[in-house]
Amino acid sequence: MDHQELINLLPLAAIDWLDPDETRQLEEHLRGGCPQCEAELRAWRETAAAFAVAGDPADTGEHLWQRLEARLHTEAAAVHSLTHAAARPRRLTNVGERRASAGWWQGLAAVCAAAAVLLLVYNRIIARQARQAEVHQLQQLESLSWQLNDLRSELTAAQTETDTLRKVLSERARLDRVLMAPDLQLTRLGPVGPAHNAGGVVAVSHASGAAMIQTFGLPPAPPGKAYELWWITSQSGPVRAGLFHAQQGRSSVAPASMPPAGQRLMLAAVTLEPAAGVDKPTGDMYLKGVVERE
Amino acid sequence: MAAGDAHALRSLTLRYSGMLIALAMRFGGDQSDAEEVVADVLWQAWSDAKSYDAGRGSVAAWLVMLARSRAIDRLRAKKARQARAAANPPGEAAPDPASIVDAAQRARIVRAAVASLDRDERTALELAYFSDLSQSQVAQRLGLPLGTVKTRIRGAMIKLRQALSGQRD
């Protein structure tokens, strides 16, 4: 639709008599800004208004004013009642009162709507704070959970260490018994091969039926390996006497098997073997000592 | 005119209620209905005066627009209630130059201009303005092509505007 066609619509627009498509096109045109059409439409509206009221006017000005004045008073009374929160339900008997009541209810509805909006905002704030508190509590719970896991690990390590110490104490107590025995027999072990500063002693008490080995200076056995003590006799050769592990920088004490009865002991030796032990020595020899005759 | 000023409401009422009631009555209502419509319109205009845009026309044109819209709404509600098929054809008001819009002389000129319109143009314009009929319904009612109806209405408006311009000059 070109500009002239739109201008031709203006008289009809002034009497609100365009179809929806014409209305839409004209409104879009006016929204785009057209001072000429705006001025024309304004003039046409004045013409339409003049036409509309060209008829015989009703002589009711004072009469209508009395109605509006009554409405004004009723409205003011309703506002006053609302202000003082003293409104009471009452039966409405005429149109004026019904309108005043409608105004009162509109005011009340506005207050209720405002209260509802405030309540909604308040609820959202509370919900947000609750979510933040929940997240904070979850974070605290997670932190406590980590701390608990750490404490459990520490406790497990402490229990393991306690077990180790108990075992060491037990073995040292056994060694002490052996060492205190009146038939104590000691065999000193000297370094052979790679551990030049290593040494040890094997204590045997036939009276207490116990034998112990204490070593020092041996390097820790590699994974899957262990040190094995041998009794070497003239009849059977090497006889297994026990497995043990060495600790870096510390002496190691371990129980040992009693020497085979009825056989002549010649040597005691330590070799590095598979962790499960073997029947005959296969690895390097680290320590060796001559068993003194009783 | 400011909301809260009872004198403004009284002035508005005394100045415009007569013509607005006459207008409202042309939409098929009785005096009581028309007063009801105009009372609402004046109350609305007084309490919501800030919605008036002087750039879009005079106060009279604004009140006429509000009254026509309110009268049509009331007419539609009445039709729905009474299940009537269509509004009655508009009646004709007797000329009375007193207290219309701005000046009695202008009202006389307008009425004279309306009276001088070609009968077909006047019928088309009155049917379009004082009823709740769409373009096609007016055309059907008049038994004319829509283009012809539009031409007649536009011609009537142009003559009225020229008459008003002559009055201003």
Side-chain angles (χ1 to χ4, degrees), chain A residues 45-289:
Chain A
R45 282 192 178 128
E46 296 298 329
T47 302
F51 165 72
V53 297
D56 187 12
D59 185 18
T60 57
E62 279 296 340
H63 171 64
L64 196 67
W65 164 241
Q66 288 171 6
R67 287 183 58 167
L68 288 170
E69 192 175 30
R71 179 173 174 174
L72 202 59
H73 289 313
T74 311
E75 194 95 351
V79 170
H80 182 269
S81 298
L82 185 63
T83 304
H84 290 79
R88 293 188 178 86
R90 63 193 176 94
R91 188 177 183 82
L92 305 180
T93 56
N94 58 47
V95 173
E97 283 182 317
R98 282 198 293 273
R99 284 198 188 133
S101 176
W104 191 93
W105 283 110
Q106 284 171 354
L108 184 61
V111 171
C112 289
V117 170
L118 286 175
L119 193 60
L120 187 64
V121 171
Y122 177 74
N123 280 342
R124 288 191 175 178
I125 291 172
I126 293 297
R128 183 184 300 168
Q129 289 177 345
R131 280 198 299 273
Q132 289 173 344
E134 186 180 5
V135 168
H136 181 64
Q137 287 177 346
L138 285 173
Q139 289 173 342
Q140 282 187 324
L141 192 62
E142 190 177 6
S143 174
L144 289 172
S145 177
W146 280 108
Q147 289 180 22
L148 185 62
N149 285 336
D150 290 344
L151 289 173
R152 280 177 178 159
S153 299
E154 289 177 12
L155 181 62
T156 302
Q159 285 175 339
T160 303
E161 190 171 0
T162 300
D163 291 344
T164 303
L165 290 172
R166 279 179 181 163
K167 188 177 178 182
V168 169
L169 282 174
S170 172
E171 288 169 350
R172 287 197 182 270
R174 188 176 179 182
L175 177 61
D176 287 344
R177 284 199 303 275
V178 173
L179 292 175
M180 296 297 289
D183 61 339
L184 173 64
Q185 182 182 1
L186 293 175
T187 301
R188 299 183 189 283
L189 302 176
V192 180
H196 302 291
N197 296 321
V201 62
V202 179
V204 176
S205 170
H206 291 279
S208 60
M212 299 291 297
I213 180 172
Q214 181 176 19
T215 61
F216 57 89
L218 285 175
K225 297 283 187 177
Y227 291 106
E228 188 158 18
L229 173 66
W230 303 95
W231 295 117
I232 299 173
T233 67
S234 57
Q235 295 90 344
S236 304
V239 177
R240 299 178 66 179
L243 294 167
F244 65 95
H245 289 273
Q247 293 178 320
Q248 185 73 43
R250 292 172 60 178
S251 64
S252 298
V253 176
S257 300
M258 292 296 286
Q263 295 195 26
R264 184 185 171 208
L265 289 175
M266 298 176 65
L267 297 170
V270 172
T271 59
L272 186 63
E273 304 293 348
V278 290
D279 290 334
K280 294 297 179 183
T282 58
D284 292 337
M285 184 179 290
Y286 279 72
L287 298 172
K288 185 176 75 174

Side-chain angles (χ1 to χ4, degrees), chain B residues 27 70-80 84 87 132:
Chain B
F27 286 87
R70 187 65 64 95
I72 288 176
D73 288 344
R74 195 176 183 86
L75 178 62
R76 287 173 181 165
K78 193 173 181 179
K79 280 180 181 174
R84 291 199 304 218
D132 182 28

Side-chain angles (χ1 to χ4, degrees), chain A residues 8 22 42 46 54 56 99, chain B residues 36 55 58 94 111 150 154:
Chain A
N8 290 339
E22 291 169 336
R42 193 160 51 242
E46 296 298 329
D56 187 12
R99 284 198 188 133
Chain B
E36 198 84 19
S58 64
R111 280 198 297 278
K150 284 184 175 180
R154 192 178 297 111

